[in-house]
Amino acid sequence: MNVVSSAPDLANLQRIAIKVFVSADSTITARDVIPVFHRWIQTGAVNGLPIDVANYSHLPTGPCVLLVGHEGHYVLDRTEGRLGVQYNRKQPLEGSLADRLLSVTRHVVRAARLLEADASFSTPVRFLGNEVEIIAQDRLLAPNSDETLVELRPALDPLLTRWSGNTDWTVSRKSDPRAPFRVAAVTKATDTLENVEARLFESNNY
Amino acid sequence: MTWKDLLGERVPTALGREIDTYENQIALKRLGKIDDKVFAETRLRRGAYGQRYDNGQRNDGTGVKPLPFPSNGQTKGPDTIWDAPGMQRIKIPFGGLTTAQMDTLADLAEEYSDGVCHITTRQDVQLHYVHIDDTPSLMRRLAAVGITTREACGNTVRNVTACPIAGVCRDETFDVTPYALASMRFLLGHPDAQDFGRKFKVAFSGCRDHACGLVNMHDFGAIAVTRTTDGVEQRGFEVYIGGGLGAVPHEAKPFESFMSEEEILPTLQAISRVFARLGEKRNRARARVKFLVAQLGVNEFRRLVREERDSLAADERWTAYLNELPRYGEQALKTGRPLEDAGSSAYQTWSRTNVYRQRQPGYAVATVSLPLGDLSSGQLRGLADVARRFVGDTVRATVEQNIVLRWVRESDLPALHSELEALGLARPGAATIADITACPGTDTCKLGIASSRGLAAELERQLAKQIDALEPAVRELRIKISGCFNSCGQHHISDLGFYGVSRHVGGHVVPHFQVVLGGKWVENGGAYGLAIGAIPAKKIPDVVRRITGRFVEERRGSESFYDFTIRIGKRALREMLEDLTTVPPHEVDTAYYSDWGDPREFGIGDMGIGECAGEVVSLTEFDLAGAESQVFEAQLQLEEGDFGHADTLAYGAMLQAAKGLIKTEFVDISDDPDQIVSEFRTRFFDSKVFFDRFAGGKFAQYLFRRHARSDPSDDASATRRLIEEAQLFLEATHACQARLAGQLPAAPPPTSALPPTERPS
């Protein structure tokens, strides 16, 4: 195995991805989302420059459908068998790590809320308001280690507090050292993504 | 900290220096100190390709819209915007990958691409949506595990391919792997292989009969043979030269029936020198070795190569690797043991198609069948772990876009199947009609016309459901699909081949596929098929059902599909598809007007057509339909061996299509070939109206060349090529007609200077 390790340097981390999960009582398929992503390109429904839609629905895990963008990709994702929507940031963002985490989170929550509100689905889709995954797609700046998690917490914790309005979160790191740094955050307090969105888009003071 | 710092000496010095140079060239290009064309070739020679929409234009289903990349006019090649995502091709010689390399590829796909690795029809790996600024780090990380992307593209020696089961095959003469590896190492960066007009492809095959090496479609193809002299067995190769698919395919010509192993590398060097010296440089469309061989004749080409070979200064690398051959060979991880457990029914289904018994007792090759050649990063990393546990350190990618695990202990097969199943990699049906090869097509390729991957996914979905119910003779057929005529999906050498075209119907553009029959996958791609007609994309599943159904009903004994299509004849095959060519009006059924897996309206159909224009278009369409009939009739005559008649018909088809186009401007055009060609040249060629945005005036030259020749050819190969050319001329005429009617955009200028549209979140 060719794991190379460096000390984390999250101050410069830009390749951040955030995933929110589809609730157990609803679902969304590639067939549903492909026309929606094309429509988002036509209408400029999401931030940045959307380029195209990539269909990987033939893969049983991993990315299923991508709205490929210049700044980042919106992904209907099935990594580890869990369906959700993820925003993978590709281009640099301004601000501190906390600012960048908030910005990426806002992107994915806004996209998930658009899907919740989309009238084209035969049954509405709902996303969980009490669970989120943070992924660093950069092994140089964010190796998958406890050290990286320690360095992330000062920026992550305020985001989670803002997300839920409380501090009662369980945060755990997925341990495969070859996989990207991936942190699952879960809170017992249930809430809708609509409320989460409202809190995330309040003023930046927190 | 950078990857360069972190990897340090893990990157071999020579590779590190090359990547440093490449990174400097990127910096210089950003400063405007390198010409666009020079930089394009520079990055291409490192495998960094352009990708669809990198000209800043995309049809979003309502029309062609600009993509305002924030590049401030910066380009990475002609008409190629800097910030537009690109494709990175990664050369994997003979498809051989170590587990460490698989881990790295998985990492790179996650960090720089879209989380998916794609296996190509040349045993390469491709990553899509990669930013050029990321490519130096990506290349360093590959170099650290022994992979170079050097000469993965550009006018170079491309990936050297070989049978994925070489060394374990029951039928091979000997293992060709070390020869493929030696050829790659010898030619990589060789000064004599740097000045080609086009690419050069090399393949090695262990036997004549099977398809694995596809020698017949290569610039240089070598089949392992032995001969005995004075009681001593000597290894060598039956060598073929000048093969190639592409728009106008050429079957390779026999070059030498026995070339000793010592002569392989010097001969490759000599051929490289002859190709560099005499090959076409200005006209890319005729710059492959196949055209040089056709122009000179294989005998003269052979003479020149031998003359060149004799003049070469000796190089110890020609034979140094041969000393290592006795010690070459893969080590099995475990002692071979026969299968004892019948396994689950899912295992049995999988093993029927995905397991091949090696010639070494107690071992098998397991094929991981990849849908559309794709696997996710997580799957690739998981597969590396499976390989470590079951076979040791290596796997091989195949030209059918799959991965094989060799040296699996037979008794481990059920357990291996279980582990693959957990990764979503236990898809049965490898090497069957449901295991379809497809090029990227309109998904990511700049040249794609129709969605080859969309069609392949749909056909795989439909066929997988019925695979067990299919007759064995149908199950074993191959389907290969290209998004355009360039044949990256290898449609010519398939039982059922398809390539994407478009048709102009009632003011809209409709995706179609040409149906290609008469190709042979076996015998190293032993015969090339020809198109029998264009069918709307949405009707292609019906084409497959009808043709395979008729094959089952009318098959004589153990007749092959190839023999069946020859016996039935193209006329009958076309007749049985005739009703499928009908496209209902847009207002009746819009489904025909979008492609598989893509809900966008195909093309732009919102432009009004005046009565007068409509009438002229009708005349044009009438001529185009007549031209289609003529080119098909030419195929029938070719089949019957009347080459002169076939030649005349193909020429007539081009004339009629050109005449139809002329009628859009000059209704009173006569039937005189001289007048047609003259008017066509003035109105459509000199004005560049006929020009394809990528191929320029290439297709018009097909007409001009044939017109300049007064007598029809009586040569089978030449006639066959003319028919291919006539078909391409017709496709270009359809495209030109659609452009004139406003359904396809003319080649637009880049729009890279437009500002970004980022909004605050």
Side-chain angles (χ1 to χ4, degrees), chain A residues 2 4-5 15 38 42 44 47-49 51-52 56 58-60 63 68 70-71 90 137 139-140 178 180, chain B residues 3 10 53 58 60 68 70 103-104 107 110-111 113-114 129 134 371 374 381 385 388 599-600 759 761:
Chain A
N2 51 320
V4 289
S5 58
R15 289 195 173 93
H38 278 291
Q42 290 170 350
N47 285 321
L49 173 61
I51 299 170
D52 197 18
Y56 293 119
H58 48 281
L59 296 178
V68 177
H70 169 64
E71 297 83 358
K90 294 285 178 184
Q137 293 174 327
R139 287 168 177 78
L140 180 70
R178 293 175 305 152
Chain B
W3 278 109
R10 286 178 181 230
Y53 313 128
R58 180 179 181 273
D60 72 355
D103 282 342
T104 295
D107 294 353
E110 271 163 351
E111 294 182 40
S113 173
D114 56 4
Y129 307 108
D134 290 328
D374 292 341
R381 202 175 287 121
D385 284 341
R388 286 183 183 101
R600 284 177 294 170
R759 291 182 310 184
S761 56

Side-chain angles (χ1 to χ4, degrees), chain B residues 562-627:
Chain B
Y562 172 82
D563 291 337
F564 163 77
T565 58
I566 300 299
R567 174 171 62 78
I568 293 291
K570 291 194 170 68
R571 188 191 303 276
L573 289 163
R574 183 173 164 124
E575 277 169 9
M576 66 184 279
L577 304 178
E578 204 60 52
D579 62 307
L580 298 177
T581 60
T582 306
V583 178
H586 190 267
E587 57 272 23
V588 173
D589 190 349
T590 56
Y592 285 78
Y593 297 82
S594 62
D595 214 334
W596 283 112
D598 188 339
R600 284 177 294 170
E601 173 99 10
F602 190 84
I604 46 170
D606 55 355
M607 196 163 176
I609 300 171
E611 283 183 1
C612 183
E615 199 171 280
V616 173
V617 167
S618 295
L619 287 172
T620 305
E621 285 182 337
F622 184 77
D623 275 321
L624 283 173

Side-chain angles (χ1 to χ4, degrees), chain A residues 8 21 23 37 54 56 67 78 81 85 100-102 113 122 144 166 169 176 181 191 201:
Chain A
F21 296 93
S23 69
F37 279 0
Y56 293 119
L67 172 53
R78 292 191 289 212
V85 170
R100 300 195 299 270
L101 280 173
L102 176 62
R113 288 284 300 131
S122 51
N144 191 5
N166 67 59
W169 286 82
D176 180 353
F181 175 74
D191 203 349
F201 281 83

Side-chain angles (χ1 to χ4, degrees), chain B residues 55-56 67-75 80-82 749-755:
Chain B
N55 59 355
L67 291 172
F69 289 103
S71 302
N72 296 319
Q74 181 77 50
T75 54
T80 311
I81 297 168
W82 189 269
T751 55
S752 51
L754 294 173

Side-chain angles (χ1 to χ4, degrees), chain B residues 339 341-344 347 350 410-419:
Chain B
L339 182 64
D341 176 9
S344 65
Y347 163 74
W350 174 79
E410 286 185 9
S411 58
D412 283 349
L413 283 166
L416 172 70
H417 173 259
S418 294
E419 297 218 12

Side-chain angles (χ1 to χ4, degrees), chain B residues 33-53:
Chain B
K33 294 185 175 175
I34 299 183
D35 171 74
D36 251 359
K37 284 185 180 172
V38 173
F39 183 73
E41 180 64 11
T42 300
R43 65 174 165 75
L44 287 169
R45 286 187 181 218
R46 302 222 62 93
Y49 260 82
Q51 201 173 295
R52 201 173 183 91
Y53 313 128

Side-chain angles (χ1 to χ4, degrees), chain A residues 105-116:
Chain A
T105 309
R106 282 173 162 176
H107 276 80
V108 72
V109 168
R110 175 59 55 85
R113 288 284 300 131
L114 283 172
L115 291 171
E116 284 189 337

